[in-house]
Amino acid sequence: MRYAISGASRGIGLEFVRQLLARGDTVEAGARVPSEARQLASLAREAGGRLRIHTLDVTDPNSVRAFATTLSGSPIDVLINNAGIGGKWNAFAEVDFEDMARVMETNAIGPMRLSSALIPNVLKGGTRKIIHLTTRMASLADNTPVGVYGFAGGAYAYRMSKAALNAGMRTMAVDFHEQGLITAVLNPGWVQTDLGGKIAPTRAEESVQGMLRVIDELTLANSGRFLDYQGKEVPW
Ligand code: NDP
């Protein structure tokens, strides 16, 4: 199968590439600055042509257009919108609105921009899947003074951006249902990466193993859902 993924230079995106290659898939990997993505380059050297690395910044329309042009209408089975940033987790009085705009642009608009550019490729693919990496912190139901996840309140930009992404995914699930598009937002868990930090309880290997299982099992009948890496439903 052929996958396209954003944010493949490190963290969860890099681990997706590693596991997809190991199981024999082909990957079109986007990195903002490929020359700095050394681990990705080393995977490409061992992949026998099954990994192509592209310059891709999801906040830059020209970059997204160039990526889509390189793929020139060829089928993509699964698009994984993985690229994301945390932004500043300031208390309400210190919210930095420029930072908030950057986080919205990267986490909410970026995945819609990339999905829009690649939807012709995805609809030509055999499995027709678009997956977005979201977060449990986007759950409105869980964001209460007694939220079960222990992360309620704060992180305005991150929460708002991923909640907007979730709304975009749901809308695409409705609009492209007739055309057979299968889509979902996945919470990877709290994962040891630059974004998640060293004290996160879940390793990227485990998170990605779980998410690949969830992605493989998604069907049109259960498209449009908010799931975690173990396949459990997350409350909206
Ligand atoms: P990292 O910070 O480790 O990696 C983020 C990746 O996104 C990098 O490859 C980075 O590229 C890329 N990126 C950032 N901005 C852009 C952009 N404008 N265009 C293209 N690529 C970009 O984060 P994680 O691997 O932890 O996160 C991956 C996804 O999972 C994110 O969407 C995140 O929100 C989500 N997530 C992560 C959790 C965790 O605990 N780690 C928890 C919940 C959700 P570069 O190297 O160039 O900066």
Side-chain angles (χ1 to χ4, degrees), residues 9-235:
S9 59
R10 55 196 169 93
I12 292 170
L14 181 67
E15 183 58 27
F16 262 120
V17 175
R18 192 175 282 129
Q19 292 193 22
L20 288 169
L21 291 176
R23 67 185 210 177
D25 293 305
T26 296
V27 186
E28 307 288 348
R32 265 199 298 202
V33 189
S35 61
E36 287 174 11
R38 288 192 194 88
Q39 287 176 281
L40 190 61
S42 111
L43 287 179
R45 281 193 289 279
E46 294 157 16
R50 285 188 295 115
L51 171 58
R52 293 203 298 167
I53 302 171
H54 310 268
T55 303
L56 177 65
D57 182 335
V58 299
T59 65
D60 176 355
N62 291 329
S63 172
V64 171
R65 211 172 297 123
F67 181 54
T69 304
T70 309
L71 300 180
S72 68
S74 58
I76 294 289
D77 291 289
V78 183
L79 164 63
I80 302 176
N81 276 299
N82 163 77
I85 56 174
K88 297 181 184 167
W89 288 29
N90 294 351
F92 189 68
E94 280 91 44
V95 168
D96 173 340
F97 292 101
E98 277 177 25
D99 175 72
M100 184 180 273
R102 197 170 59 91
V103 174
M104 293 297 284
E105 181 71 41
T106 307
N107 292 357
I109 300 173
M112 290 299 119
R113 180 181 283 125
L114 187 57
S115 301
S116 163
L118 294 193
I119 190 114
N121 307 66
V122 173
L123 293 178
K124 269 189 204 157
T127 46
R128 302 182 182 183
K129 293 183 180 174
I130 298 184
I131 306 302
H132 306 280
L133 276 273
T134 187
T135 169
R136 174 107 194 184
M137 293 173 71
S139 167
L140 304 185
D142 199 31
N143 192 10
T144 69
V146 289
V148 292
Y149 209 54
F151 275 142
Y156 287 84
Y158 192 57
R159 288 182 194 281
M160 288 167 65
S161 67
K162 294 288 190 178
L165 171 66
N166 290 1
M169 181 287 295
R170 269 298 264 221
T171 310
M172 284 189 71
V174 172
D175 288 348
F176 291 94
H177 185 80
E178 289 292 307
Q179 293 174 68
L181 180 75
I182 299 166
T183 185
V185 285
L186 297 187
N187 167 35
W190 183 14
V191 184
Q192 286 163 23
T193 62
D194 293 336
L195 194 155
K198 288 196 176 67
I199 61 156
T202 310
R203 286 178 306 115
E205 290 89 326
E206 186 192 340
S207 169
V208 169
Q209 256 168 28
M211 285 192 284
L212 284 176
R213 202 171 308 124
V214 173
I215 294 168
D216 288 344
E217 287 171 3
L218 274 178
T219 63
L220 191 56
N222 60 17
S223 179
R225 294 166 76 193
F226 186 176
L227 301 170
D228 73 9
Y229 72 104
Q230 294 168 319
K232 290 189 209 118
E233 205 94 38
V234 183

